[in-house]
């Protein structure tokens, strides 16, 4: 794969479609929309109905009450997690043409889209008086709880350079009294309420910032998740239920504790970037407390508890090209990343990548995103590895997450 | 086949059972038997697939993604077997329409799940009756039949 010389906009997308005929055009489109982000026209915004669409949203990366749509769905059920970015150079337009909501790229209507719909529980309140949309966040088929809204790696400024969790929390606290923790009773009530809407959810997802404190590193974080999962588990009679925890790199003892005391079924830990030197630069807190090799090994060890196909390593796809210390070329970055990912796959761990966007409030907010070709090659490479090593990605796929072009490809 | 193109929607609305088939990347077909097809207000054939992990579901995704045709076989009481050939255009996995179908599936079978409501654009209707197939072969491939079918009748000995 040569250095990117792709054109802009529609021509770039079409070039990539021709180069990768085995990758669905809808998934190529998703990756492109996520890297370029969107701008909503007034006509599109006029179709937003707060009775149907979620216009408020609270999770660790968003504090939203601006009455714009939460996000988009393509006609094949693929989610596009995106939001307007003030500094975006070449965003897609979301417009209304002939009565349909569509994505427009340099004047060309590309695809029809629909806005996510609001779950019933968003309009309900807990007995403590909190709106339930403050307690859980919904994707089309997933309910998410963020028990801890900050990240302790930022205590000494060593949070991950692409991550906006701390700035989102700071702004949310200042502007909307966003709490640091969620109350367990509020969580339990919200889960119970959410389940009343038959067919609305296929998975429970938990994540939050890292808490390295405790007798053993991350013990406090694990304690928190055990409590939260037990509160959620009240709705499921204490049995295992479709669920995913995205947490720090827990030790084997901690993973055993989580698995045996709760209904959790799958586990992800974000190693973010598959290169030890870049890991130290981009994730100094993770590097300081655990280190690259140990972080990787802990993810591998978790397979022995959760099982193959129920443990993934999360990546911020593209951040390996961040300047000035990232890989010099996309070729080099792809080869290195897939090489490391193969090492994980050989041990039963699937790697999944989101599309990095340098959002406001992150150290990397002025960086440039890699080419569309890079993201499509990365997505195909990661799915090919899972196929080769027979690792299911159901736990983190289009329905249970929706943020990874690579796991979208796992639908076939 | 003009009548068949008109008839298929009435057949589906009458609840005739059907067999749906779609192929994987290697061309291998998977089948699904269903008595739950519908035709919606926009004229799409609607197929509710209950099993997320099924090969037919994966093949339907592939067909949608790469504009590949699938086939649905139904039995018309007058015209015989009809093959509806079309392309999946939409996979509904969430929202009010999905939830309505989900509840309907559970009303029919309390243990049921619903993966996807598939909306299929029917593009062609082909008769698969014996008579129609014979007619097609005789007119398009006259050289392949057995000789005795062309022979004049011989007097009995």
């Amino acid at each position: 794969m040569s250095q990117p010389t792709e054109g802009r906009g529609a021509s770039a997308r079409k070039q990539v479609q021709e180069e990768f005929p085995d990758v669905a055009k809808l998934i190529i489109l998703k990756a492109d929309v996520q890297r370029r982000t969107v701008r909503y026209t007034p006509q599109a915004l006029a179709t937003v109905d707060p009775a149907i669409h979620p216009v408020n949203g609270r999770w660790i990366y968003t504090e939203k009450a601006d009455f714009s749509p939460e996000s988009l769905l393509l006609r094949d059920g693929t989610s596009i997690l995106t939001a307007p970015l003030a500094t975006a150079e070449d965003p897609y337009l979301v417009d209304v043409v002939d009565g349909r909501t569509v994505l427009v790229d340099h004047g060309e209507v590309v695809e029809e889209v629909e806005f996510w719909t609001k779950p019933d529980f968003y309009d309900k309140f807990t007995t403590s008086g909190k709106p339930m949309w403050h307690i859980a966040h919904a994707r089309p088929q997933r309910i998410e709880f963020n028990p801890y809204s900050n990240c302790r790696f930022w205590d000494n400024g060593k949070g991950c350079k692409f991550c906006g969790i701390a700035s989102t929390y700071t702004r949310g606290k200042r502007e909307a009294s966003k709490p640091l923790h969620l109350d367990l009773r509020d969580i339990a009530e919200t889960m119970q309420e959410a389940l009343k809407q038959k067919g609305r959810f296929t998975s429970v997802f938990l994540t939050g910032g890292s808490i390295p404190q405790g007798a053993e590193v991350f013990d406090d974080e694990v304690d928190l998740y055990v409590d939260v999962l037990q509160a959620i588990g009240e709705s499921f009679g204490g049995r295992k239920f479709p669920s995913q925890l995205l947490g720090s790199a827990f030790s084997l003892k901690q993973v055993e504790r989580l698995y045996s005391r709760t209904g959790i079924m799958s586990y992800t830990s974000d190693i973010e970037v598959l290169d030890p030197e870049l890991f130290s630069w981009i994730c100094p807190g993770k590097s300081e407390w655990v280190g690259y090799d140990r972080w990787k090994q802990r993810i591998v060890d978790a397979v022995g508890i959760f099982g193959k196909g129920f443990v993934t390593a999360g990546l911020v796809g593209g951040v390996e090209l961040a300047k000035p210390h990232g890989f010099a070329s996309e070729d080099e970055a792809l080869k290195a990343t897939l090489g490391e990912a193969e090492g994980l796959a050989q041990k039963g761990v699937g790697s999944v990548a989101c599309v990095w966007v340098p959002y406001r409030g992150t150290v990397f907010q002025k960086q440039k995103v890699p080419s569309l070709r890079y993201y499509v090659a990365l997505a195909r490479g990661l799915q090919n590895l899972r196929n080769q090593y027979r690792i299911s990605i159901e736990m983190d796929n289009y329905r249970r997450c929706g943020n990874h072009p690579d796991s979208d490809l796992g639908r076939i | 086949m003009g009548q068949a193109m008109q008839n298929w929607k009435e057949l589906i609305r009458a609840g005739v059972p059907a067999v749906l088939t779609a192929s994987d990347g290697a061309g291998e077909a998977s089948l699904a038997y269903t008595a739950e097809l519908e035709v919606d207000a926009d004229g799409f054939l609607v197929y509710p697939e209950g099993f997320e992990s099924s090969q037919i579901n994966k093949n339907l995704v592939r067909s949608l993604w790469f504009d590949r045709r699938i086939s649905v076989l139904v039995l018309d009481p007058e015209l015989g077997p009809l093959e509806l050939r079309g392309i999946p255009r939409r996979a509904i996995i969430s929202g009010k329409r999905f939830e309505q179908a989900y509840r309907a599936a559970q009303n029919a079978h309390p243990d049921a799940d619903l993966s996807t409501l598939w909306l299929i654009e029917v593009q062609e209707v082909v008769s698969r009756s014996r008579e129609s197939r014979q007619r097609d072969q005789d007119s398009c491939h006259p050289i392949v039949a057995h000789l005795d079918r062309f022979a004049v009748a011989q007097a009995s000995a």
Side-chain angles (χ1 to χ4, degrees), chain A residues 53-54 70-73 79 81 114-118 138-140:
Chain A
H53 308 119
E70 172 84 49
S71 212
L72 304 172
L73 208 56
S79 279
L81 274 76
E114 54 185 274
F115 302 141
W116 290 3
T117 56
K118 184 174 65 171
R139 292 186 185 179

Side-chain angles (χ1 to χ4, degrees), chain A residues 73 75-77 114 117 139-142 197-203 398-400 411, chain B residues 38 46-52 57 90-107 112-119:
Chain A
L73 208 56
R75 63 185 168 88
D76 65 342
E114 54 185 274
T117 56
R139 292 186 185 179
Q141 288 273 285
R142 169 175 118 175
Q197 192 175 1
K198 304 290 184 193
R200 181 63 171 90
F201 297 107
T202 59
S203 184
Y398 78 107
R399 211 168 185 136
R400 273 151 281 282
R411 290 177 76 181
Chain B
E38 292 179 1
V46 182
Y47 167 59
E49 171 52 62
F51 296 97
E52 174 82 10
N57 202 45
R90 188 177 291 269
I92 299 175
I93 64 147
S94 67
K96 293 304 176 198
R97 186 174 178 181
F98 176 83
E99 290 169 28
Q100 192 175 8
Y102 181 89
R103 287 192 296 272
Q106 290 207 322
N107 286 342
D113 203 331
L114 180 67
S115 164
T116 309
L117 266 187
W118 287 98
L119 270 52

Side-chain angles (χ1 to χ4, degrees), chain A residues 7-26:
Chain A
R8 281 169 63 84
S11 67
R13 184 167 35 78
K14 286 170 186 172
Q15 272 179 289
V16 173
Q17 286 171 3
E18 281 172 25
E19 187 178 345
F20 297 88
D22 56 329
V23 178
K25 289 178 184 169
L26 285 172

Side-chain angles (χ1 to χ4, degrees), chain A residues 120-335:
Chain A
D120 293 349
F121 79 81
Y122 267 26
D123 291 333
K124 304 290 171 63
F125 292 80
T126 65
T127 54
S128 68
K130 299 186 194 77
M132 286 187 174
W133 69 266
H134 278 194
I135 310 302
H137 179 258
R139 292 186 185 179
Q141 288 273 285
R142 169 175 118 175
I143 181 169
E144 174 172 345
F145 295 93
N146 304 140
Y148 187 72
S149 297
N150 203 352
C151 176
R152 299 298 300 270
F153 290 142
W154 286 103
D155 287 0
N156 61 355
K158 291 188 178 181
C160 299
K161 289 180 165 60
F162 52 78
C163 185
I165 183 175
S167 61
T168 302
Y169 169 65
T170 302
R171 186 161 36 89
K173 183 181 166 190
R174 182 179 67 240
E175 295 174 5
S177 304
K178 183 173 185 175
L180 185 59
H181 288 102
L182 292 178
D183 179 83
L184 293 179
R185 274 297 98 210
D186 290 338
I187 291 173
E189 287 176 15
T190 302
M191 185 73 251
Q192 196 171 46
E193 187 64 36
L195 288 170
K196 292 178 184 174
Q197 192 175 1
K198 304 290 184 193
R200 181 63 171 90
F201 297 107
T202 59
S203 184
V204 179
F205 179 81
L206 273 81
T207 194
S210 288
I211 309 173
Q213 285 71 27
E216 182 189 335
V217 64
F218 301 130
D219 258 353
D220 286 1
E221 185 178 332
V222 174
D223 287 345
L224 173 64
Y225 283 127
V226 168
D227 287 345
V228 169
L229 282 163
Q230 287 178 347
I232 290 170
E234 289 173 14
S235 288
F236 300 99
R239 298 172 302 162
K240 291 289 180 193
F241 52 90
S243 48
Q244 180 185 6
L245 167 60
L246 196 169
S248 301
F250 304 138
S251 69
L252 191 58
K253 193 169 78 170
Q254 289 168 339
V255 168
E256 279 172 338
R257 184 152 64 93
L258 265 168
Y259 191 81
S260 63
R261 294 191 191 179
T262 74
I264 193 72
M265 282 180 73
S266 68
Y267 167 64
T268 297
S269 189
D270 285 348
I271 191 162
E272 321 293 7
V273 61
L274 286 173
D275 176 86
E277 287 176 17
L278 292 179
F279 183 80
S280 294
W281 171 49
I282 296 172
C283 306
K286 292 189 176 190
S287 185
E288 181 179 59
W289 282 92
V290 180
Y292 179 79
D293 289 336
R294 197 153 71 114
W295 199 285
K296 249 193 344 177
Q297 187 58 50
R298 284 180 164 208
I299 299 174
V300 169
D301 289 344
V303 177
I305 304 298
F306 280 90
K308 185 177 170 184
F310 294 91
V311 177
T312 53
L315 310 176
V316 177
V319 81
E320 56 275 11
L321 287 151
K323 307 289 185 207
H325 304 300
F327 289 101
S329 74
E330 290 187 353
D331 261 349
E332 209 184 319
L334 189 70
K335 186 177 174 188

Side-chain angles (χ1 to χ4, degrees), chain A residues 2-3 8 42 45 58 63 67 75 78 80 97 109 112 122 148 169 187 191 234 238 288 309-310 323 354 382 392:
Chain A
S2 58
Q3 287 286 349
R8 281 169 63 84
L45 290 175
R58 168 174 286 182
E63 186 67 32
F67 292 89
R75 63 185 168 88
T78 293
I80 305 181
V97 175
V109 173
E112 189 170 356
Y122 267 26
Y148 187 72
Y169 169 65
I187 291 173
M191 185 73 251
E234 289 173 14
E288 181 179 59
F310 294 91
K323 307 289 185 207
C354 63
L382 291 175
S392 164

